[in-house]
Amino acid sequence: MLILLSVLFTTRIVKPLAKLNETAESISNLTFTKADIRTGDEVEELAERINSMSTKLESAHVTLEGKNEELRRFIADISHELRTPLALIKAYATGIQDGLDDGTYTEIIRKKTDDMTEMVDRLLLFSKLQVEPYTHAPVEIRQLLTGILDTYRLSFEQQGLSVQFEDLLPPEGGMVMADEAKLASVFHNLLTNAMKYTADETIRVRAERRAGVFHFEITNAVGPSARSPVDWDHVWEPFYVMESSRSKLYSGTGLGLSIVRTILEKHHAIYGVRPDADEVTFYFSLPFMDHHSDPEIVRS
């Protein structure tokens, strides 16, 4: 009887506990295995909880590794972007020391210094947007959008571009709950991005009320290098450039769309990019205040 009880004890308790110990050891070594235990008692419940913990830890580990990789790439990109103007500044400063200045060296140094200053300012803004509080208040969306479009008309004309604005909002416009300054920054960055990279002379802007939400789209043509199969989700990453700007005069820091993503995510907005054969459309949606709490609208 004692032998039989020992065998039963070993089978029902000791062996499952040994498996749990092996599983815990594997998890501690970042090998997220699972224990297959079918005892029908508290030990099986414990195994299920450990398996659930293993799954969650694996998911968190994958997410963390992805963020670490993004951080490494981000630091590498920053280093590259800052190294280039620094190298030019050093080269032209050496040229001045050697008496090679033809009268343009100081202007080039000043321009590269301004570029670095702009980049640092954009990096500080990008960092600040991650942590600073957002002040949400009612914003009349048509008034905000049309005012921003008016400020860009001269810039577009200087570049030989035209904007086709399709205003499908109701006559009374509409109010959205947002941080007005940061929402204006979204419009600014999307407009300047289209102005830099459009492959023709026309940019289409569309604003409409769709199922109780404000829906905004901006569409521009793309060059041949952007028509090949690419992962368009990367355009939201800092310093990602799919193709060269059409005008070096208006080239930016590669942070505009990252700033757009950060602001829209802080507003819990639906946003994305929709590439087509020869054009690309960036879009986002925000609930109008009169439908802000309607769950059916939120789902749509």
Side-chain angles (χ1 to χ4, degrees):
M1 181 65 72
L2 182 60
I3 293 173
L4 290 174
L5 288 174
S6 300
V7 171
L8 180 62
F9 179 79
T10 301
T11 304
R12 294 295 302 273
I13 299 178
V14 176
K15 286 185 177 180
L17 288 177
K19 288 184 179 179
L20 288 177
N21 183 59
E22 292 175 1
T23 302
E25 181 69 21
S26 298
I27 293 173
S28 69
N29 294 323
L30 301 181
T31 303
F32 301 99
T33 59
K34 296 178 176 60
D36 185 14
I37 296 175
R38 309 292 181 184
T39 59
D41 55 14
E42 290 82 357
V43 177
E44 182 177 341
E45 291 180 6
L46 178 60
E48 290 176 353
R49 291 174 183 173
I50 290 178
N51 290 342
S52 176
M53 180 185 68
S54 178
T55 300
K56 292 178 181 178
L57 285 174
E58 182 177 16
S59 176
H61 178 70
V62 170
T63 301
L64 181 60
E65 283 295 310
K67 290 186 178 297
N68 286 339
E69 179 61 31
E70 289 179 3
L71 179 59
R72 286 190 289 270
R73 184 171 59 249
F74 184 62
I75 293 173
D77 288 340
I78 291 174
S79 301
H80 173 74
E81 293 293 330
L82 291 175
R83 188 183 297 115
T84 300
L86 282 172
L88 289 171
I89 290 172
K90 182 178 180 180
Y92 282 100
T94 302
I96 293 174
Q97 287 180 331
D98 294 341
L100 302 176
D101 187 6
D102 61 357
T104 64
Y105 282 26
T106 55
E107 177 61 24
I108 293 173
I109 291 174
R110 187 197 63 77
K111 175 64 169 61
K112 293 304 174 183
T113 303
D114 289 344
D115 290 345
M116 290 179 61
T117 301
E118 181 190 0
M119 185 182 303
V120 171
D121 289 343
R122 299 279 279 181
L123 283 169
L124 290 173
L125 173 62
F126 181 61
S127 176
K128 186 170 68 173
L129 288 171
Q130 311 284 334
V131 296
E132 74 175 3
Y134 281 52
T135 304
H136 288 76
V139 176
E140 210 298 307
I141 196 65
R142 172 187 277 132
Q143 180 179 344
L144 176 64
L145 177 56
T146 55
I148 291 173
L149 286 173
D150 286 340
T151 64
Y152 272 85
R153 293 195 186 281
L154 179 59
S155 296
F156 279 104
E157 290 175 0
Q158 290 175 342
Q159 286 245 47
L161 301 174
S162 63
V163 179
Q164 294 180 355
F165 178 35
E166 190 175 6
D167 185 356
L168 300 179
L169 293 170
E172 67 275 10
M175 307 291 288
V176 299
M177 186 65 70
D179 187 311
E180 184 169 357
K182 295 182 175 63
L183 186 57
S185 181
V186 169
F187 288 128
H188 283 298
N189 280 289
L190 290 175
L191 283 166
T192 55
N193 183 75
M195 182 170 63
K196 294 172 195 172
Y197 297 106
T198 185
D200 62 17
E201 292 75 32
T202 303
I203 294 170
R204 302 198 308 275
V205 174
R206 179 186 179 98
E208 63 180 319
R209 185 185 183 100
R210 180 185 295 182
V213 303
F214 166 74
H215 185 77
F216 173 84
E217 293 185 353
I218 182 166
T219 303
N220 62 269
V222 294
S225 61
R227 295 173 190 167
S228 58
V230 293
D231 187 356
W232 278 89
D233 290 337
H234 286 313
V235 299
W236 306 106
E237 297 176 4
F239 301 111
Y240 181 82
V241 178
M242 184 171 295
E243 59 179 344
S244 298
S245 169
R246 68 191 297 273
S247 172
K248 293 300 181 183
L249 178 63
Y250 291 93
S251 293
T253 58
L255 291 170
L257 291 178
S258 298
I259 291 172
V260 168
R261 176 180 65 177
T262 299
I263 295 173
L264 291 178
E265 287 180 349
K266 290 289 186 179
H267 281 80
H268 305 290
I270 298 171
Y271 70 95
V273 56
R274 189 171 61 247
D276 203 348
D278 56 357
E279 62 183 21
V280 62
T281 299
F282 290 90
Y283 64 88
F284 72 88
S285 298
L286 283 171
F288 279 112
M289 288 184 63
D290 54 347
H291 288 82
H292 199 278
S293 60
D294 188 336
E296 192 64 34
I297 298 301
V298 173
R299 281 195 296 273
S300 65

